[in-house]
Amino acid sequence: MHTDKNYIIGNWKSNKTAAEVKSWFDYFNRNFQKKNLAASGQLEIVICPSFIHLNLVKALIEKYQLPLKKGAQNCSPFEVGSYTGEVAASQLKELAEYVIIGHSERRKYFHENEKILEEKVKKLKEKNLEIIFCVQDDKTPIPEGVKMVAYEPVWAIGTGRAESPHEANKVAASILEKRTIKKVIYGGSVTPENIKGFLQEESITGVLPGKSSLDPALFWQMITNAAI
Ligand code: PGA
């Protein structure tokens, strides 16, 4: 088992109204007031809502004084300017500490290629934002400057069939070998039941749950199980 701090990064994808965000935080806060599971400093918990909710998430974290960080799910490959519909790294800087880049859903539905991903990484590096760069296996190209990689086998995403921690660890170890990568986390059907298995692996220092992060009860259960 590694001794680094573990990351739990909730990717809400294109989900939740503002009212749903508020009730998620109500639930989280009620539990947190009873038990501060992040107190040991061994967990870094990041919530990645839609762009439109980053401000609200920031306000709720401040209001309840929660030890949570904010993440975006994407960013523009351009600077600020005339790029309708895009959100630039410098705009995100005010609202988030982390940004997910190259998720397989962005590659598949929005045709993001290596060139675009490199540009996004460059813009985020300039603003000192933490990049969570998603790869589908240990062959996926990783742009210069990336330190944290999320290994997410496509067949495990949203299917309820996670990869085994042992197999995921092998891929994570191979990613760590090759580059200047400091951390590899795993994503793909992470649940309260299987989270601990991933975190116990030598080369895996966190998880990126999608579905299980939407329901605050499940998310709380994941943190509880991770902290034991
Ligand atoms: P999932 O999503 O936990 O719902 O499988 C993970 C992800 O796509 O990041």
Side-chain angles (χ1 to χ4, degrees):
M1 178 154 180
H2 59 84
T3 50
D4 301 337
K5 123 172 123 173
N6 279 312
Y7 291 75
I8 302 181
I9 303 177
N11 177 9
W12 284 357
K13 306 191 180 183
S14 190
N15 290 294
K16 293 199 188 295
T17 61
E20 287 166 347
V21 172
K22 283 183 198 144
S23 70
W24 190 100
F25 271 89
D26 274 352
Y27 182 98
F28 189 94
N29 182 51
R30 273 200 306 279
N31 283 277
F32 176 76
Q33 297 308 335
K34 287 185 231 149
K35 195 167 194 290
N36 177 357
L37 287 169
S40 69
Q42 281 310 298
L43 289 179
E44 171 94 340
I45 306 168
V46 185
I47 302 300
C48 305
S50 304
F51 286 138
I52 53 162
H53 296 317
L54 275 169
N55 236 322
L56 174 60
V57 164
K58 180 171 184 274
L60 290 166
I61 287 173
E62 285 167 6
K63 174 178 163 191
Y64 295 130
Q65 300 190 343
L66 299 171
L68 301 180
K69 299 278 167 54
K70 293 99 50 202
Q73 301 169 15
N74 180 26
C75 92
S76 172
F78 300 104
E79 303 284 0
V80 288
S82 302
Y83 303 103
T84 302
E86 289 296 294
V87 179
S90 53
Q91 295 175 292
L92 288 176
K93 184 70 185 170
E94 296 180 331
L95 297 171
E97 292 87 13
Y98 291 85
V99 182
I100 299 172
I101 291 295
H103 192 282
S104 58
E105 287 154 9
R106 298 226 43 99
R107 294 175 194 254
K108 179 177 172 191
Y109 299 117
F110 305 98
H111 315 294
E112 293 192 353
N113 57 32
E114 302 312 327
K115 177 89 192 66
I116 291 173
L117 299 177
E118 267 174 34
E119 284 306 315
K120 293 185 179 203
V121 165
K122 222 187 275 173
K123 296 290 177 293
L124 294 169
K125 293 281 304 167
E126 282 165 16
K127 298 295 165 206
N128 280 323
L129 279 150
E130 298 281 346
I131 299 158
I132 304 155
F133 190 84
C134 300
V135 302
Q136 289 66 57
D137 54 43
D138 54 355
K139 314 256 173 339
T140 311
I142 300 171
E144 210 60 52
V146 167
K147 294 203 178 73
M148 188 192 286
V149 164
Y151 163 51
E152 300 208 307
V154 175
W155 54 264
I157 295 177
T159 59
R161 286 186 299 120
E163 183 154 45
S164 78
H166 182 66
E167 286 304 314
N169 187 59
K170 279 198 220 161
V171 180
S174 142
I175 293 168
L176 284 171
E177 245 171 45
K178 281 192 287 186
R179 315 266 315 209
T180 50
I181 311 299
K182 301 278 182 283
K183 299 178 186 86
V184 178
I185 64 174
Y186 168 82
S189 298
V190 175
T191 61
E193 290 71 37
N194 65 22
I195 188 168
K196 192 70 182 176
F198 290 106
L199 300 182
Q200 279 171 336
E201 292 292 341
E202 187 62 34
S203 301
I204 299 176
T205 41
V207 289
L208 181 52
K211 235 183 226 165
S212 307
S213 69
L214 290 173
D215 176 342
L218 275 184
F219 195 69
W220 186 260
Q221 196 56 51
M222 269 193 299
I223 298 174
T224 308
N225 295 354
I228 297 167

